[in-house]
Amino acid sequence: MKRILLSEMTSVNGLLYYQGNLFSGVSYERFDDETVRAWLVHDGRLDKPYLSPYFDDRSDLLHVDLSAGMSDYEIPRFDGKPYSGVAYSFEKDYCEREALLIEGDVVSDTWWSKDGTLLLYEQHTAGYGEIYEWYRDGAMNRCTITTSNSFFGALTFSQDGHMKGLSSQRGFFSKFSHIASKSPFFPVGDESALFTLQCAEEVWLAGEDIDDFFVGKMCEAGMFLQTKKICIVDTSITESGMTLLAKCPLLRNFDIQEKDVYRLQLLKAALAGMESIQAKFS
């Protein structure tokens, strides 16, 4: 839904209009002291106070326009102190960013397009972080999950929904069900659901969790039927996995990036006798 400054709307017979159309969405009223009051609007009528559904319900927090104060290089401040509360950032007539800050640290962050499409959601809680990015048409682009002392990984997608990349370290795959139960955005419900996806024409695989067994399951599920090129970065794949990948019908190009010199030599040897395969090693 659109997220528009109240000052950019017109009121006709008690109803709010934006650019000549009856407005539904979120309206933001800015005051001289930089505080903000946000309302849900339905068919031109103020409905109820608005707070981002992606933030904890903290009615005691300030709501402030920090369009000029949100920086990647400085702690956001308000009234001379590190800011705690909901911060809004406006681009001309619409709200492009809503963030929840505690003592100047961004805890939750959302970015929006002018038409109200969610472009980025970022959440950080003790030892756990998740970042989701979307294309402007609403299709998922990338999700990244990190923990301070445990698993981490990422999935990336093309605009048409094909998986472009997959990384996993320290058991990321095995945590899919747990992540999906906590996040409204995680794109797969559990590890088995991953194998229902189709990979893009070019795809990358990274991380020690990706081994011969995992690649075999991907091949068996037909995930690589459209894939022509694959980039493999510091995985646990050996010659067995490379042999399986080389049997995929369209896959003819490999880009192997491997820090382990011994493993790199194994992968070179596995592909050396396959005349139809083009491979780059680094």
Side-chain angles (χ1 to χ4, degrees):
M1 59 185 168
K2 291 185 176 181
R3 328 173 82 77
I4 305 296
L5 280 167
L6 185 63
S7 59
E8 300 298 319
M9 301 183 197
T10 55
S11 179
V12 180
N13 297 324
L15 298 177
L16 293 173
Y17 287 79
Y18 175 66
Q19 296 183 341
N21 298 310
L22 200 62
F23 182 73
S24 289
V26 183
S27 72
Y28 302 85
E29 186 176 8
R30 291 191 296 193
F31 298 94
D32 293 340
D33 62 357
E34 297 184 323
T35 59
V36 174
R37 183 164 56 196
W39 287 85
L40 284 172
V41 180
H42 181 67
D43 291 337
R45 298 183 186 275
L46 294 180
D47 185 6
K48 58 184 177 181
Y50 166 82
L51 177 67
S52 172
Y54 310 117
F55 301 164
D56 292 335
D57 187 5
R58 294 279 302 276
S59 59
D60 60 315
L61 294 176
L62 282 171
H63 291 237
V64 172
D65 176 7
L66 285 183
S67 298
M70 293 291 285
S71 169
D72 293 333
Y73 308 105
E74 297 180 2
I75 294 176
R77 307 177 76 88
F78 184 70
D79 278 347
K81 298 177 292 186
Y83 180 62
S84 291
V86 178
Y88 299 98
S89 181
F90 296 93
E91 174 64 27
K92 297 182 180 178
D93 61 351
Y94 78 98
C95 180
E96 67 172 355
R97 185 181 186 186
E98 299 174 343
L100 176 63
L101 286 80
I102 303 297
E103 295 294 325
D105 292 327
V106 176
V107 177
S108 298
D109 204 357
T110 53
W111 287 78
W112 306 84
S113 68
K114 185 172 183 176
D115 65 4
T117 300
L118 183 60
L119 299 177
L120 181 142
Y121 169 75
E122 188 169 348
Q123 174 87 18
H124 297 281
T125 54
Y128 182 84
E130 50 186 337
I131 303 174
Y132 297 89
E133 301 171 62
W134 290 267
Y135 295 101
R136 289 191 172 271
D137 66 356
M140 179 163 285
N141 180 347
R142 180 182 180 91
C143 73
T144 304
I145 307 294
T146 60
T147 61
S148 58
N149 56 10
S150 184
F151 63 89
F152 57 94
L155 298 97
T156 63
F157 298 89
S158 61
Q159 203 159 355
D160 62 5
H162 289 81
M163 190 171 71
K164 290 173 55 179
L166 176 64
S167 68
S168 178
Q169 299 275 11
R170 297 187 295 206
F172 175 55
F173 297 137
S174 66
K175 301 297 183 180
F176 277 9
S177 296
H178 173 69
I179 298 169
S181 70
K182 294 179 60 175
S183 172
F185 301 122
F186 196 66
V188 288
D190 54 33
E191 185 175 351
S192 64
L194 177 70
F195 299 103
T196 66
L197 301 177
Q198 284 289 310
C199 290
E201 289 190 1
E202 294 191 15
V203 64
W204 56 267
L205 301 175
E208 61 191 19
D209 292 343
I210 300 176
D211 56 14
D212 295 340
F213 178 73
F214 189 83
V215 164
K217 290 180 70 175
M218 294 180 77
C219 293
E220 185 178 342
M223 294 180 68
F224 295 117
L225 291 178
Q226 301 177 47
T227 302
K228 298 179 180 179
K229 180 179 179 179
I230 190 166
C231 179
I232 297 173
V233 184
D234 296 328
T235 68
S236 297
I237 298 173
T238 70
E239 58 267 38
S240 297
M242 298 302 289
T243 300
L244 290 172
L245 287 170
K247 293 179 181 178
C248 294
L250 301 179
L251 186 52
R252 293 294 177 268
N253 285 277
F254 288 78
D255 183 350
I256 312 296
Q257 301 173 32
E258 177 58 65
K259 289 182 291 189
D260 186 317
V261 176
Y262 175 71
R263 187 182 300 280
L264 183 63
Q265 294 305 317
L266 281 179
L267 300 183
K268 281 184 177 181
L271 294 176
M274 302 180 188
E275 297 181 357
S276 62
I277 298 296
Q278 295 182 352
K280 173 184 173 184
F281 300 92
S282 60

